[in-house]
Amino acid sequence: MFTYFAYTLIVAGNILVLSSMWALGVTGTYLGDYFGILMDDVVTSFPFNVVAAPMYYGSTLSFLGTAILYGKPAGVMLTVEVLAVYILALRFEDPFTAEIYAKRERERRQAIKKH
């Protein structure tokens, strides 16, 4: 029973992580926006239409599934800790990323006004 549940979590987590990497491409996956390589538009397709941070939540599901599969309570506790850190990171990352794209839009509007 727990084995099937664990594998389900691992598969679901990997689907979220891998599909988000596919949707974002290499530069979107590896913090390209922090280095000025911005996506044309916000990605709203799967898995971003299911969960806002699919890499974080997908990896958390994979960690949890692995801990359950191997029957390791410490793994479950570490998964909770990792989730807490991800949630904390999102409190900083989401506004920062939003500001990067908002700045680009302001600059585009200014460029249009000049022409």
Side-chain angles (χ1 to χ4, degrees):
M1 168 78 174
F2 283 116
T3 302
Y4 294 120
F5 180 62
Y7 280 120
T8 300
L9 290 174
I10 293 168
V11 168
N14 280 294
I15 287 171
L16 289 175
V17 170
L18 295 173
S19 61
S20 62
M21 290 176 75
W22 181 264
L24 292 172
V26 172
T27 55
T29 298
Y30 298 105
L31 301 174
D33 49 1
Y34 288 74
F35 299 103
I37 306 168
L38 304 182
M39 304 287 290
D40 291 335
D41 294 305
V42 175
V43 179
T44 57
S45 60
F46 182 81
F48 295 92
N49 61 352
V50 175
V51 63
M55 286 190 188
Y56 289 164
Y57 295 120
S59 62
T60 301
L61 289 174
S62 294
F63 298 153
L64 181 59
T66 302
I68 291 170
L69 182 65
Y70 288 100
K72 301 294 183 180
V76 174
M77 296 304 295
L78 286 171
T79 299
V80 171
E81 189 174 327
V82 166
L83 178 60
V85 171
Y86 282 163
I87 290 170
L88 178 64
L90 286 170
R91 298 189 94 184
F92 295 95
E93 183 178 320
D94 285 346
F96 185 76
T97 302
E99 178 54 30
I100 290 170
Y101 283 89
K103 179 183 176 196
R104 178 183 69 179
E105 291 308 311
R106 288 191 301 269
E107 290 170 353
R108 283 180 175 176
R109 284 194 297 269
Q110 288 175 351
I112 291 171
K113 287 181 183 179
K114 287 182 181 179
H115 291 251

